[in-house]
Amino acid sequence: MSRRLLVFGASALSCLFLTSCAGVPMTGPVVPGEGGDGSADPYGGYVRLLPAGPQPGMNPDGLVGSFLKDMGSFEEDHGAARIYMLPDTGRDWSPDGSVKVFTDLDTVDLETEVSEDGLTASVRMRSALVATIDEDGKYRPGAPGTLMDETFTLAREEGDPEGEWRIRSLPDDLILSQLDVERTHRPFNLYYFNPEGTSLVPDPIYLPVSTDRLAERLLARLGAGATSWLAPAVRSEFPEDTRPRVTADADSVVVEIDGVGDVDEFRLGAQIAWTLRQIPDVQEFTLVLDGEEVAFAAADGDSADRPRPASTFWHGVGPGALRAGVHAYYAHEGQLWSASEWDTDTFGDAERVPGPLGAGDVLLERFAVSIDESTVAGITLGGETVVTSFASPGAEVSEVLDDGVFTELSWDIDGNLWVVEEIGEPDEEAREEAEQDSADPEALPDPAPPEPGSSAVWVLRGAEEVVRVDVGDLRDESLVHFRVSRDGSRAAAVTETDGRRSLQVGRVVTDEDGRVSV
């Protein structure tokens, strides 16, 4: 499809933040996002489970049911669970870190089959699969109707027909109820950089918090690289094929890495600092590269080589990408206005945005303001043209895309403008009828969603090129809304299929030839 790039004179940043959620969906208030800067106690709400252990005379299904209850005890390397096993099985059992989640024991069906000699038995466990937590720590809800089907093999102790039943073989996954997961696991973020190295990107994972060494486990996961889903969209300053050595005491952490070669110490420190700041007890860290302590001269802390994880030194690349004093923007009577000291209820002093788009010289249906608040992009009335202008007196309006039906705008942190265009035939008759029935254009009802596959997404890179984004994964769905995250590594899309709307999150990947896909 031909697309003419006219002029793109703004180097601008994004004004949308895409929040990453790792947890079980829940209700709650809508609040300004801070980029995953968690400061709550990760051990808050943790209650240690007091396991009952196997009781004398338990039959096979009773033993497995009790085992499922006690599997939520993580102390002493799952010591409570190992009591249910034969000695060799207990020594060899090494759960691989993945978890399968069921609702509760009331939803579990246990079917037992005992051998003719009464010395062995198999217990088949079936229940709805609520979710999985993979080895990366990524929480994935189960598809509706998915069934968990696991088998446990039991044998009597020492082959004695009167011996107690014990587990001889079992799955490598941990099998936990929803309540156990809520009690034992917490969401954390690992932090990696977007491809340009201009912003950290949170990679949400779940980790058990019922054991100590939380800092060591978090940094070991950080050094191992991003989760498989996000990895193609981000980069890490940790050298490949190296494992950091982490030593932690009550309030400090030492991270030692050998064989680093040419590494950006600031970015490496930023990944570590933003990851560690989720643990309130950690007040300082030391980064040692090839035996030499790294000094961060401008960082807060007792000394340059003992920076605080929460130091403002790394705020410039923080995932929130918001600076202090950012304004709120809104349209009124065709003009753009900004307000300071805003919250969910009130605005401070409001003033018209400088420049031609603020003055209403060009009327806009939609607009997006760069995060540095220097540039406005807008879609003109009728949706046929995308324009930009600096938010300064005397600025000029530049057309960057024309001859289309454009519907959405968003910026990423590297000055790329993302635009959605409807390339199907618009229903002009329905639109004209709606306009005639309403004296207020802003009161028009939402238009019907576009036909599946009839939306194109474009990214305008700087002032030089327009690239069509591959959104083939959505070809069978109507694209209702689309926004790129400020870090440019992810995107959010609202889609519709058969009248049902869904919110989806995609990763943004650019290949060696510059092709972009979501």
Side-chain angles (χ1 to χ4, degrees), residues 155-190:
R156 291 193 182 273
E157 289 183 312
E158 300 179 356
D160 182 352
E162 301 300 323
E164 298 290 346
W165 289 105
R166 292 294 182 262
I167 296 173
R168 186 169 67 185
S169 66
L170 70 163
D172 290 332
D173 306 300
L174 293 177
I175 301 175
L176 301 177
S177 68
Q178 280 184 294
L179 182 61
D180 281 335
V181 170
E182 293 171 7
R183 184 180 55 79
T184 61
H185 285 65
R186 296 292 182 272
F188 294 93
N189 285 324
L190 308 174

Side-chain angles (χ1 to χ4, degrees), residues 9-94:
S11 174
L13 305 182
S14 140
C15 60
L16 171 96
F17 175 58
L18 171 62
T19 304
S20 288
C21 290
V24 179
M26 58 187 70
T27 59
V30 177
V31 297
E34 298 295 337
D37 179 15
S39 57
D41 182 1
Y43 293 95
Y46 171 66
V47 178
R48 180 173 178 174
L49 175 67
L50 298 177
Q55 302 302 305
M58 275 186 163
N59 58 25
D61 59 331
L63 185 87
V64 171
S66 183
F67 171 76
L68 293 174
K69 287 181 181 179
D70 288 353
M71 194 178 277
S73 174
F74 283 65
E75 280 71 31
E76 299 178 2
D77 191 21
H78 303 281
R82 296 180 195 276
I83 298 174
Y84 288 83
M85 306 175 195
L86 293 173
D88 289 346
T89 303
R91 285 191 298 268
D92 297 339
W93 183 59
S94 180

Side-chain angles (χ1 to χ4, degrees), residues 261-283:
D262 185 17
V263 67
D264 188 313
E265 295 175 351
F266 171 82
R267 289 176 181 164
L268 184 57
Q271 287 185 246
I272 294 171
W274 273 89
T275 299
L276 284 178
R277 67 194 301 169
Q278 300 169 98
I279 309 176
D281 291 342
V282 177
Q283 297 299 310

Side-chain angles (χ1 to χ4, degrees), residues 255-473:
V255 184
E256 299 178 78
I257 307 175
D258 294 328
V260 295
D262 185 17
V263 67
D264 188 313
E265 295 175 351
F266 171 82
R267 289 176 181 164
L268 184 57
Q271 287 185 246
I272 294 171
W274 273 89
T275 299
L276 284 178
R277 67 194 301 169
Q278 300 169 98
I279 309 176
D281 291 342
V282 177
Q283 297 299 310
E284 64 179 27
F285 72 93
T286 300
L287 177 59
V288 182
L289 301 181
D290 291 331
E292 297 289 333
E293 293 187 358
V294 177
F296 299 101
D300 303 328
D302 291 339
S303 63
D305 54 5
R306 302 285 190 277
R308 292 191 304 108
S311 172
T312 57
F313 180 58
W314 289 286
H315 277 193
V317 293
L322 283 176
R323 60 181 179 82
V326 67
H327 291 69
Y329 290 83
Y330 62 96
H332 179 63
E333 295 182 347
Q335 298 178 332
L336 298 185
W337 293 75
S338 67
S340 60
E341 300 178 0
W342 59 278
D343 58 29
T344 54
D345 297 320
T346 60
F347 287 121
D349 294 336
E351 59 183 15
R352 187 173 57 79
V353 175
L357 297 184
D361 294 348
V362 178
L363 297 181
L364 304 178
E365 281 192 357
R366 294 178 181 270
F367 69 93
V369 182
S370 64
I371 197 171
D372 65 354
E373 303 179 270
S374 67
T375 309
V376 179
I379 298 173
T380 59
L381 288 180
E384 296 182 355
T385 306
V386 177
V387 298
T388 63
S389 174
F390 289 112
S392 57
E396 297 182 355
V397 176
S398 300
E399 293 185 353
V400 294
L401 289 173
D402 66 354
D403 299 329
V405 179
F406 303 103
T407 59
E408 304 275 344
L409 296 170
S410 52
W411 297 91
D412 69 32
I413 196 170
D414 297 311
N416 302 314
L417 177 62
W418 295 67
V419 182
V420 177
E421 178 186 12
E422 302 308 328
I423 57 177
E425 292 296 328
D427 192 345
E428 296 293 349
E429 183 178 345
R431 174 74 179 182
E432 290 176 1
E433 290 178 359
E435 289 177 347
Q436 292 172 0
D437 293 339
S438 175
D440 181 7
E442 295 185 359
L444 290 175
D446 289 339
E451 292 296 319
S454 66
S455 300
V457 178
W458 305 91
V459 57
L460 281 68
R461 290 174 171 159
E464 298 178 358
E465 62 177 330
V466 179
V467 176
R468 183 165 180 173
V469 179
D470 179 4
V471 288
D473 282 357

